[in-house]
Amino acid sequence: MHPFSYVAPKTIDEAVAVLEKNGTRARPFAGGTDLLVQARANKWDLDTVVDIKKIPETMSLEVSQEGLTIGSGVPCYQVYNNEQIKKEYPGIVDGALIIGGIQIQSRATIGGNLCNAAPSGDSICPLIVYNAVAHISGPSGSREVAVEDFCTGPGSTVLQNGELLVKIVVPKPNAGSGTAYQRFTPRNEMDIAVAGVAVSVQLNNNGDDFESVRIALAAVGPTPILANKAGSSLSGKPINDDSISEAASLAKEEASPISDMRGTIEQRKHLIEIITTRMIKEAVKRARG
Amino acid sequence: MTTNTTNIHIRTKINGQSYEFLAPSYMSLLDALREIVGLTGTKEGCLDGNCGACTVNMDGRIVDSCLVLAAEMNGSEIETIEGMATSDGLHPLQKTFLEEAALQCGICTPGFLVAAKGLLDNEPKPTERRIRHWLAGNLCRCTGYDKIVKAVQKAASDN
């Protein structure tokens, strides 16, 4: 591994100061499951690794009346083993459970998955449909960015020099809502999505109409995609096969995949239509309880 | 610009024994175990988190030691393959791996054993499905996995 120095600041201010001073030659280090692989491949001219896991704010995992707070240093297993999160945020658990295998989940973080900004990142689409917000600290203070706006391309994000993702806040879902995420992979575990879909539905009081729906697509574009047309097509519609298949076909149109070793354009678009249909139905099922 | 690497002072427990040493700031937990501590039972495979050959237990969770920095060992408790057998003999998993012929070349075996122990320590009676899911992060190119799964099932049935 190319030599780098290691620092483990105890406060956000210290971490930001090191990141700002070293610019692109410093990287925040949470689970390391992407960072150390990329460091070995010399993806960056890495000078300093900033371990963020000694900072209390990045290690917080809280479920409150306002919502769910996931510190950027919290590993996946802590998220999916939390009984309250399983019950109230099943879509987040759907994603956290399928990132890598058990060893990876001991270390890999949701925050790192977001900052790595892979179009296939399994935790990103669930965050998007839950309307999650990224809380960022930097040299000029703190700011908040909706997760749907966080990724700007494969491996690139809105983070500027010296900025650190501190936590992700997921608003508490309303009654009558349900969320689900699924991906297609040839292997059940230890694989990267060929295509994935997260759906969040808000049903009306009777539970027979869609009030609002959010749909996000993984691995079918340069970033995870919020499929606005597909989601909004369901507003006020009755829950039936016609409305669901119309939304799924719009999601297929909104997908703009490439062909690569994992799948072709045609296969990925087909998968998006199928998985969107299934996830809308699953989200409705969860909304009805 | 020259990188200002440092040696990190580490105090850690490995297989119940205390260790204190200096490790380069960019060294992995895997390399620290093998090259500084001299415990070479933990194997290097892919170096990118796919194969699980370097699996060790860190503070109660199995991890790929190639994707952990030595610096993070400070204050932590590590269990490696060398800690599985005791003066009383082999660990039950080591016995059932031998009985079921769950290894051929043996390179993946320390990782599988440490991973399987991590499962049985917390879930003494896992289903076959659960065992296969838990061990998905370990690759074996010899056995075809069935014998490994059977060995874990056999160890679990004695629990």
Side-chain angles (χ1 to χ4, degrees), chain B residues 34-124:
Chain B
R34 291 181 58 87
E35 290 168 24
I36 297 179
V37 184
L39 294 173
T40 55
T42 305
K43 303 305 179 195
E44 175 181 311
C46 64
L47 284 182
D48 64 13
N50 269 294
C51 80
C54 66
T55 301
V56 301
N57 195 304
M58 185 178 194
D59 297 325
R61 291 285 309 181
I62 56 166
V63 297
D64 292 319
S65 61
C66 72
L67 297 183
V68 177
L69 288 177
E72 298 178 86
M73 295 169 83
N74 196 28
S76 69
E77 294 194 18
I78 312 288
E79 286 176 34
T80 70
I81 183 66
E82 287 89 348
M84 276 185 74
T86 65
S87 50
D88 297 331
L90 294 178
H91 186 276
L93 278 162
Q94 290 173 311
K95 285 184 195 164
T96 57
F97 265 58
L98 286 172
E99 287 161 10
E100 295 298 314
L103 64 149
Q104 286 179 39
C105 86
I107 276 283
C108 70
T109 312
F112 267 102
L113 284 167
V114 172
K117 181 175 183 291
L119 174 63
L120 297 190
D121 282 353
N122 294 303
E123 301 172 36

Side-chain angles (χ1 to χ4, degrees), chain A residues 24-214:
Chain A
T24 55
R25 300 176 68 93
R27 305 286 302 185
F29 172 66
T33 55
D34 285 313
L35 184 74
L36 294 183
V37 175
Q38 292 161 359
R40 283 200 178 94
N42 292 316
K43 181 169 173 179
W44 303 288
D45 205 0
L46 196 60
D47 210 41
T48 306
V49 153
V50 186
D51 189 345
I52 61 160
K53 298 190 292 297
K54 309 281 188 230
I55 305 170
E57 289 91 334
T58 67
M59 298 312 290
S60 74
L61 182 64
E62 277 174 31
V63 189
S64 73
Q65 275 312 304
E66 285 76 55
L68 165 65
T69 299
I70 309 171
S72 55
V74 176
C76 286
Y77 84 92
Q78 284 186 17
V79 174
Y80 67 62
N81 279 342
N82 182 302
E83 292 302 324
Q84 227 179 330
I85 298 175
K86 279 193 229 176
K87 196 166 146 250
E88 295 174 28
Y89 300 88
I92 301 290
V93 171
D94 287 343
L97 265 175
I98 56 175
I99 295 173
I102 306 295
Q103 288 94 327
I104 298 293
Q105 292 161 5
S106 295
R107 299 268 300 166
T109 69
I110 307 281
N113 198 227
L114 179 57
C115 290
N116 193 52
S120 56
D122 287 308
S123 69
I124 305 176
C125 285
L127 291 172
I128 290 174
V129 298
Y130 271 113
N131 281 302
V133 176
H135 289 240
I136 300 164
S137 285
S140 48
S142 299
R143 63 184 179 119
E144 296 174 11
V145 174
V147 169
E148 68 205 59
D149 299 325
F150 191 88
C151 301
T152 53
S156 63
T157 69
V158 296
L159 290 177
Q160 300 295 310
N161 186 36
E163 284 191 325
L164 174 71
L165 175 68
V166 176
K167 61 187 179 185
I168 298 162
V169 178
V170 188
K172 190 179 168 64
N174 296 321
S177 69
T179 302
Y181 172 75
Q182 200 173 71
R183 67 179 184 190
F184 175 83
T185 49
R187 247 191 111 181
N188 284 334
E189 308 91 2
M190 292 292 290
D191 211 341
I192 291 169
V194 178
V197 181
V199 173
S200 179
V201 301
Q202 176 67 52
L203 307 185
N204 70 351
N205 288 338
N206 302 328
D208 47 18
D209 287 347
F210 293 107
E211 205 169 275
S212 62
V213 177
R214 283 168 72 84

Side-chain angles (χ1 to χ4, degrees), chain B residues 92 120-121 123-126 152-159:
Chain B
L120 297 190
D121 282 353
E123 301 172 36
K125 299 278 182 200
V152 178
Q153 285 177 299
K154 192 170 176 186
S157 70
D158 296 335
N159 273 328

